[in-house]
Amino acid sequence: MAWKGDAAALEDDLRRSVRGEVRFDAGSRALYATDASNYRQVPIGVVVPRDVEDLEAAVAACRRHRAPILGRGGGTSLAGQCCNVAVVLDGSRHLTRIPEVDPERRIARVEPGVVLDSLRREAGRHGLTFGPDPATHAWCTLGGMIGNNSCGVHSVTAGRTSDNLEELTVLTYDGLRLRVGATPEPELERILRSGGRRGEIYRRLRDLRDRYAPLIRERFPRIPRRVSGFNLDELLPERGFHVARALAGTEGTCVTFLEATVRLVPSPRARALLVLSYEDVFRAADHVLEVLEAGPIGLEGMDRSLVDSDFTRRSYREVLDSLPAGNAWLLAEFGGGTREEAADRARALRARLAGPGAPGMLLAEDPAAQARIWQVREAAVGTTSRDPRLGDAWPGWEDSAVPPARLAVYLRDLRALLGAYGYGAALYGHFGEGCLHARIDFDLRTSEGVRKYRSFLEEAADLVVSHGGSLSGEHGDGQQRGELLSRMFGDELVRAFREFKAIWDPENRMNPGKKVDPYPLDAGLRLATRLGDPPAAFRYPEDRGSFSRAVLRCVGVGKCRRETGGVMCPSWRATSEEKHSTRGRARLLFEMLSGQVITDGFRSAEVREALDLCLSCKGCRTECPAGVDMATYKAEFLYHYYQGRLRPRSAYALGLVPWWARLASLAPGAANGLLRSGWVQWIGGIAPGRQLPAFAAETFRKGFRPRGGDPDVLLWPDTFTNFFQPEIAKAAVEILEAAGLRVAIPRRVLCCGRPLYDFGMLDLARRQLRQILDSLRPEIEAGIPLVGLEPSCVAVFRDELVNLFPEDETARRLSAQTFTLAEMLARAGFTPPPLSGAALVQPHCHHQAVMGFTADRRLLAALGVEARVLDAGCCGMAGAFGFERDHAEVSLACGESGPLPAVREAGPGTLILADGFSCREQISQAAGRKALHLAEAVRAAIRASRGDEWGPTVSF
């Protein structure tokens, strides 16, 4: 794995040759040291080319130094093919053009960095799609899909990526650029006569084919999901000597992809999903052929592990409640020209399966309901990495495939083998094509565990071959399975694979050590890297009190790199930089704890820079399938980073806002005058153009008068509501009283310390929470619910409180009895009077991530407004973040890729609702619209129902 060249000279040459980014610093190398596999290999450097010509220039510079190269897309490979001691060429940021979509010919031309869903959106304008669709479709790239020969749910009808590939423009390591595809015999003869390097390549390919054709026909398994090995069968005369398809699945070991022409297929206009439940996954596999007879366009299987994970239970509770009872499920999807046609096909299967011994069945016709069920399946790689029964589970034998008719017996044999080794496994996969995914609780940390791991993989390889199967049905060979290929194909065909690679890459500079002449499958294991585990400020109860174990939650799934939908990850969407993704930050923290590449621990400038643009939105806490909680990790890091150091000015100006607010309340007019002065903005590190919110003339606490009697609820007057917008708390009091509840507030001014976490001021935050627990102990012990109006403050009680005091019974009780306004009204059985009109709703990130938005949706529905709840991501203000001089640009970029365009497009009669104080500020300052709290809308409905006798209503 060593390269003995001069890295400094190579870096200098690349900087002179390439217009894109050239990064040889420790932080960048650490970012790309692993993919989603078990392996870790630190690269020589990273290049992010601006365009295809830049990519060629980078390869040329590497060639001058004989440096190995590794082309990389979304970096989600599970077999180690996307990490190497090489120069990483990351095309995912800039090589994203789709030069052509031709609906008549049903083809598209794409650059290698195009995200699959981007192509599907463009093709969808013409009723077309790209058939293969792995679970990572929202962030995987076409270049990576071609390199890996990806498949996905709908390969039952669409086939593998290679089956949908028409042509490739490729670049060899020695500088030849050529376009390859199907090669009829006359064309092949013409190329051979033309000579040159191209003629030499084709001549050697033809000779290779002729020598090995009988063995290829004999030894290549005839199954829909054979991804292992090289596609030498595509060179056979009956397959049209298709050089592009032969290069699919080569995992960057032969050529660099510059452009691809891919086939598009009609997209079903409507879909229906029939969910079938079984006693166990083996019984589910028994019925695969029967279900396939009904002609589904996708047929997936999954066992209970996917629905028992913490992430799934937290994020998809309603979906889980809707599934038919069982321990395993088949998901059979049907397509049609209309919704009724698709549903009829599903109903026909349901009717055929009905009767004694029938599986449990659920027919989902609503597209939104189907999407939520599919999300459970798509999250599997992450959710099964922390299985509640298995503990930590890993890839390794996660991608075998057999003929669908053999799946059930193979599953039972595999279970027996797992049992013999004492392993547990989460099982799921593309059952309609006999492809099994599995996460297994391998011990990859100890020498004995690794020895056992190797032995198991060797036996498992023999087992799948005995069933006529393939080592890989989708994820490729890489380093994980390359060493095992001779067990599947025999030594002669492995020699043919070696010759195939040498034709394209005679110097072995293209992703060496992967697939052909591979590194040992037990070398360079990521978990073999020893991590420090320093004392932490947070307690990490879900990670056994270990910060390093919390960091290890990231398994490289890459969902934080998706471009639309959900909250995670706003800074990635604004920058398209790996280091500003949740995954990138987790990897840097891993490297920091290992101390090998990043050597200065919690003083690391590289980690500090990557975390600087984290908005602490908490989106990853819920949306990351592995449960990565970067907001907490950031607070933890900053706590250590600033030990004995001064923080930036904005930390004191904005992080200590509860104390400044108390002081300002003594003379709010004078305080507001100071806030408008330029020198206060400069001292506080406030961005030009940002206007600090004004203090209210009177705080809520000052004007509050309890009704008397024992309280039913305790209203939390948070800093933002109490000192800046007390009218929201007043509205909440009206509503709670209308619900028949007596309202009280804490006897003294208290603050949860929400702004402190963003700056790592955890000692002070802990003191604030301890003060709250001591002050509210009588109310907490009496079980009086606490109602919060600012989502980020409610989230502190529901999240940070129990992370800092996990063993404190009072803390646990307060966390359990803290509610949002909508949750409290639901508990009280309150139904608001109707309020006509339309509303655009921007949920606060912490609200969605920690509390969930279900109660609010139900309250809005009961209110009767035509509510459109945005799924546009973070507003970008994120507490103090958007006010800070160094963050304002990214803050606005997040808002523009999030809710701001929708707010601007909303008609003047549309009510804009946002419970978050920072969300309302961003909407006001960046979109020029006034947003209201949900409490103000509900109060308006109550007042309107009373004939306005209580005062003015909300103006639409």
Side-chain angles (χ1 to χ4, degrees), residues 547-561:
F547 179 55
S548 66
R549 189 170 189 273
V551 168
L552 273 170
R553 280 183 172 274
C554 180
V555 293
V557 174
K559 188 176 180 181
C560 48
R561 287 171 55 104

Side-chain angles (χ1 to χ4, degrees), residues 347-366:
R347 291 188 194 108
L349 175 60
R350 184 176 63 181
R352 199 166 74 218
L353 296 176
M361 291 184 268
L362 167 71
L363 177 57
E365 299 182 47
D366 175 60

Side-chain angles (χ1 to χ4, degrees), residues 224 276 278 282-296 299 330 349 352-353 402-409 431-434:
L276 309 171
Y278 298 90
F282 313 108
R283 305 283 179 89
D286 285 334
H287 291 82
V288 162
L289 294 183
E290 181 181 16
V291 176
L292 282 175
E293 290 175 2
L299 179 57
L330 292 179
L349 175 60
R352 199 166 74 218
L353 296 176
V402 295
R406 301 287 300 171
L407 178 62
V409 65
F431 280 21
E433 292 191 289

Side-chain angles (χ1 to χ4, degrees), residues 140-314:
C140 68
T141 66
L142 267 295
M145 290 182 67
I146 296 167
N148 220 54
N149 203 7
S150 299
C151 304
V153 172
H154 297 103
S155 59
V156 169
T157 51
R160 304 166 298 171
T161 294
S162 59
D163 300 319
N164 295 270
L165 186 60
E166 296 298 317
E167 290 184 323
L168 281 173
T169 300
V170 302
L171 179 70
T172 63
Y173 187 83
D174 56 13
L176 177 66
R177 178 173 179 165
L178 68 162
R179 194 165 188 83
V180 298
T183 320
E185 282 299 318
E187 175 67 8
L188 177 58
E189 292 300 324
R190 188 191 67 78
I191 293 171
L192 295 178
R193 287 195 303 271
S194 67
R197 174 75 169 117
R198 185 187 189 208
E200 177 197 358
I201 289 172
Y202 274 74
R203 177 183 56 78
R204 293 179 65 187
L205 289 175
R206 183 199 60 184
D207 293 347
L208 177 74
R209 175 201 67 184
D210 291 346
R211 280 185 287 116
Y212 288 101
L215 204 54
I216 292 169
R217 294 186 179 104
E218 175 191 342
R219 295 297 302 269
F220 271 51
R222 293 178 178 83
I223 59 175
R225 282 299 191 95
R226 195 277 307 157
V227 171
S228 276
F230 287 153
N231 293 336
L232 302 186
D233 53 331
E234 296 289 356
L235 299 178
L236 296 174
E238 59 266 32
R239 303 295 288 267
F241 201 84
H242 206 302
V243 179
R245 293 179 182 176
L247 286 169
T250 53
E251 302 175 10
T253 61
C254 294
V255 296
T256 298
F257 303 140
L258 304 180
E259 185 182 274
T261 301
V262 297
R263 179 195 303 163
L264 303 176
V265 296
S267 180
R269 298 189 179 202
R271 301 168 192 260
L273 182 63
L274 184 63
V275 182
L276 309 171
S277 68
Y278 298 90
E279 180 180 339
D280 55 44
V281 73
F282 313 108
R283 305 283 179 89
D286 285 334
H287 291 82
V288 162
L289 294 183
E290 181 181 16
V291 176
L292 282 175
E293 290 175 2
I297 61 174
L299 179 57
E300 299 292 288
M302 61 184 191
D303 73 4
R304 176 154 288 281
S305 299
L306 271 70
V307 303
D308 274 348
S309 75
D310 292 338
F311 167 82
T312 312
R313 288 199 300 262
R314 183 171 63 241

Side-chain angles (χ1 to χ4, degrees), residues 603 608 638 641-652 759 761:
R603 297 294 192 183
R608 172 71 180 85
L638 293 179
Y641 182 83
Y642 283 115
Q643 291 290 316
R645 289 177 168 182
L646 286 174
R647 288 174 167 82
R649 295 193 304 272
S650 58
Y652 303 104
F759 299 102
M761 298 177 172

Side-chain angles (χ1 to χ4, degrees), residues 2-4 59 62-63 65-71 84-87 173-174 252-256 501 504-513:
W3 172 68
K4 298 180 180 179
V59 173
C62 291
R63 182 169 64 250
H65 297 264
R66 303 190 72 242
I69 62 175
L70 164 60
N84 213 330
V85 182
V87 175
Y173 187 83
D174 56 13
T253 61
C254 294
V255 296
T256 298
K501 173 177 167 59
W504 300 98
D505 176 34
E507 294 190 56
N508 192 27
R509 291 293 182 268
M510 300 293 297
N511 204 14

Side-chain angles (χ1 to χ4, degrees), residues 525-583:
L525 292 171
R526 182 163 57 103
L527 291 182
T529 306
R530 290 188 175 275
L531 298 186
D533 203 5
F538 285 104
R539 300 291 295 278
Y540 303 101
E542 294 180 353
D543 291 294
R544 304 171 191 163
S546 168
F547 179 55
S548 66
R549 189 170 189 273
V551 168
L552 273 170
R553 280 183 172 274
C554 180
V555 293
V557 174
K559 188 176 180 181
C560 48
R561 287 171 55 104
R562 66 179 176 180
E563 298 172 337
T564 59
V567 176
M568 180 181 71
C569 172
S571 51
W572 155 259
R573 293 181 188 177
T575 65
S576 297
E577 285 275 13
E578 176 72 14
K579 70 179 177 182
H580 295 310
S581 68
T582 305
R583 180 179 73 178

